[in-house]
Amino acid sequence: MSTVDKALEVLGLFSERRPSVGLSEAARLLRRDKSTVQRYLAALENQGFLEQDALSRAYHLGPAVTRLSVVREITYPIETAVKNVMTKLVQDTSETVHLSHLQGVGLSSVGVVETAVRNTRVYIDPSEILPLHLTASGIAYLAQEPQEKALKLLQQSFAKTSSVEGVTLESASALMRFAKTRGYSVADCTFDYDVVGMAAPVFASSGEPCGAVAVATPKSRFDSETEVRIATFLVPASHKISRIYGAPKDT
């Protein structure tokens, strides 16, 4: 790892949960000696990427980060960046892709990209709220929440939206556990009777889950090989969207 890489690792320590960091904490988190980390902090401060509080001596992000953030949003807006990731996922899977964010006890679509190479493809109504317990997106999202919060949201989702035969609190909880392990979820015709959904969670800058990106496939062309192929592209795409949102690398 180059010196530049090591210095930039310092910037990765900052988030909404950790807006400032001191020398000792930075050294502990980076697993490096204090003298080395001090050099990185000083270099970043000299270039305006960090500022040091005069009283606490802790460091926080500096004006250079703000300037680059403004330039980034003007020249390559988040919406465009996310749309490009979704479009690439459509090209890789030849299926409809949609992105949704949590809204109450459901998920609201914030983007849909349809495939142009299939005569038969899934239509996603962008105005429809997706129930958490019946959709791959909902299960993928819930799998990343703390157990107590996930269970509460799951119960509220069941209470708000009528379920389908075979979908119970226990079966939905089992799907959440599988999704947590695999990094993606599968909903086999539980929301639309002829559609199989696969989804992976996306995270906000706070490091907390905020929604999911999903691939919707007609049941007629979904099998185990299709699942493996889609997952190969879906999970990395969810990571890219999370990075665009500013999520920490460890999410």
Side-chain angles (χ1 to χ4, degrees):
M1 184 180 291
S2 70
T3 301
V4 173
D5 287 329
K6 293 175 182 177
L8 291 177
E9 271 191 325
V10 175
L11 295 179
L13 297 177
F14 296 91
S15 66
E16 290 183 27
R17 292 181 176 179
R18 190 190 295 122
S20 62
V21 62
L23 172 59
S24 296
E25 184 181 12
R28 177 179 60 81
L29 292 170
L30 295 172
R31 298 181 180 179
R32 304 190 189 284
D33 61 85
K34 286 187 178 181
S35 60
T36 299
V37 174
Q38 178 61 62
R39 290 199 302 272
Y40 298 155
L41 291 170
L44 290 168
E45 183 181 15
N46 288 338
Q47 295 299 319
F49 288 97
L50 293 180
E51 291 180 327
Q52 187 176 34
D53 186 274
L55 296 178
S56 69
R57 309 302 295 168
Y59 292 85
H60 55 264
L61 294 177
V65 175
T66 303
R67 181 183 67 81
L68 290 178
S69 177
V70 171
V71 172
R72 166 64 158 75
E73 188 59 23
I74 291 174
T75 59
Y76 195 54
I78 287 178
E79 182 179 353
T80 299
V82 170
K83 184 71 172 291
N84 288 345
V85 174
M86 294 173 65
T87 300
K88 181 62 166 60
L89 184 55
V90 169
Q91 293 171 351
D92 290 334
T93 62
S94 299
E95 301 292 356
T96 297
V97 170
H98 64 100
L99 176 67
S100 56
H101 289 175
L102 183 69
Q103 179 179 323
V105 292
L107 291 169
S108 176
S109 293
V110 295
V112 178
V113 181
E114 292 188 353
T115 178
V117 300
R118 300 279 197 181
N119 291 326
T120 303
R121 55 182 178 268
V122 177
Y123 168 74
I124 303 294
D125 183 352
S127 66
E128 191 169 26
I129 299 298
L130 305 176
L132 296 176
H133 67 293
L134 294 178
T135 60
S137 295
I139 295 297
Y141 165 79
L142 288 172
Q144 301 303 318
E145 286 286 14
Q147 185 174 2
E148 184 176 346
K149 180 179 179 180
L151 180 58
K152 182 178 180 180
L153 286 170
L154 193 60
Q155 291 171 332
Q156 291 175 334
S157 181
F158 268 95
K160 186 172 183 178
T161 306
S162 58
S163 191
V164 299
E165 185 178 355
V167 179
T168 64
L169 189 63
E170 291 72 22
S171 67
S173 297
L175 289 175
M176 287 163 51
R177 290 192 293 272
F178 278 119
K180 182 76 170 180
T181 301
R182 296 183 297 187
Y184 68 91
S185 63
V186 179
D188 191 349
C189 304
T190 53
F191 186 56
D192 289 317
Y193 74 93
D194 58 350
V195 175
V196 178
M198 291 181 60
V202 294
F203 296 83
S205 59
S206 63
E208 297 178 347
C210 61
V213 59
V215 176
T217 306
K219 174 68 173 177
S220 60
R221 59 172 176 259
F222 190 88
D223 54 26
S224 58
E225 291 184 2
T226 302
E227 178 181 340
V228 172
R229 178 175 58 83
I230 291 177
T232 300
F233 300 111
L234 173 63
V235 174
S238 71
H239 293 166
K240 290 178 182 178
I241 293 174
S242 296
R243 296 296 87 76
I244 292 170
Y245 284 170
K249 286 186 177 181
D250 57 354
T251 53

